[in-house]
Amino acid sequence: EALEVAKMPPVVPQGAYYVLADISRSSFRDARAASIAFLERSKVASIAGTAFFQGDIGDRFLRFCFAKEDDVLAEACQRIRAARL
């Protein structure tokens, strides 16, 4: 829900501890630039999709890991909602 609010629709995993967020509608030149800007704005780390995909498709995504305690995730979701790309 937090990613939807932040205008980064998620690709919901079926059984993983991470989620991909679609940033194709953002104004960033690539996923790496988006990841850095998002970290600066929200203090929530992500990894550029280019670390996982070859070609241009990787620049469409940021990857967020949610293998954290519930209180940490709740705080991260608050920050994500507030720091739209």
Side-chain angles (χ1 to χ4, degrees):
E1 176 266 340
L3 291 169
E4 288 283 353
V5 170
K7 306 293 187 205
M8 297 185 292
V11 178
V12 180
Q14 293 183 6
Y17 54 88
Y18 61 86
V19 64
L20 295 173
D22 185 343
I23 60 163
S24 61
R25 295 186 191 134
S26 75
S27 61
F28 291 95
R29 68 182 180 276
D30 57 36
R32 185 175 184 278
S35 179
I36 291 168
F38 196 74
L39 176 61
E40 290 172 351
R41 291 180 190 175
S42 68
K43 306 301 184 231
V44 174
S46 64
I47 300 172
T50 51
F52 306 99
F53 298 97
Q54 291 182 336
D56 294 338
I57 193 165
D59 277 322
R60 291 186 54 205
F61 298 106
L62 294 182
R63 180 176 161 167
F64 293 89
C65 177
F66 54 86
K68 295 287 188 178
E69 293 86 16
D70 288 344
D71 59 325
V72 173
L73 290 175
E75 175 68 24
C77 285
Q78 264 187 322
R79 293 177 184 191
I80 288 169
R81 286 185 204 98
R84 299 173 188 211
L85 281 183

